[in-house]
Amino acid sequence: MTHLTRITAPDGVAPAAQYAHVVTGAGRLVAVSGQLALDEDGTLVGEGDAGAQARQVFENLRRCLAAAGATFDDVVKLTYFVTDMAHMPAVRAARAAHLPDDRLPASSAVQVAALVRPEFLLEVEALAVVAA
């Protein structure tokens, strides 16, 4: 965890409330593709329920990070794709179960017209840096 530096308020930039503006670190880069609300059998979790989908997405992210020898403590950037910005409170709640407020990564949230299948409400991708 100590190999990352989070800057929430660079000079001349308004402080970030739900993310860090800048996260730096040295080590090995881990890129995790956008994760959807699919369980290990490929079955949708939480049809029509942004909270249930977000919890599954963050569980999938956790498993992908672990496969690369990383944890959420190593995450430097999260990108959220949501079909409705109204889903963001559910996404933030799921994120809070894995990332405390003092270790938030840089983040971007984008509302999209659709994801790969219409029943998906959100997708999240991650970048992490693992200490060398």
Side-chain angles (χ1 to χ4, degrees):
M1 179 174 81
T2 59
H3 67 284
L4 299 180
T5 301
R6 290 168 175 81
I7 305 168
T8 57
D11 289 343
V13 178
Q18 293 291 322
Y19 58 93
H21 279 293
V22 180
V23 181
T24 65
R28 181 173 51 89
L29 180 66
V30 175
V32 179
S33 293
Q35 294 299 300
L36 298 163
L38 296 172
D39 67 13
E40 61 190 26
D41 298 319
T43 302
L44 174 68
V45 172
E47 185 163 0
D49 182 343
Q53 287 197 21
R55 287 187 296 276
Q56 182 64 48
V57 163
F58 274 87
E59 178 58 19
N60 291 349
L61 286 169
R62 185 194 65 74
R63 291 176 179 174
C64 290
L65 289 164
T71 70
F72 278 103
D73 284 339
D74 302 307
V75 172
V76 296
K77 176 80 162 63
L78 290 171
T79 304
Y80 310 100
F81 302 95
V82 293
T83 58
D84 188 330
M85 280 296 173
H87 301 321
M88 286 306 297
V91 171
R92 284 192 291 273
R95 180 195 65 200
H98 298 277
L99 282 159
D101 285 346
D102 67 339
R103 291 199 305 268
L104 294 177
S107 299
S108 299
V110 182
Q111 183 170 324
V112 296
L115 293 166
V116 68
R117 292 189 347 218
E119 61 270 26
F120 294 123
L121 303 176
L122 59 114
E123 180 174 343
V124 182
E125 63 185 27
L127 289 176
V129 175
V130 179

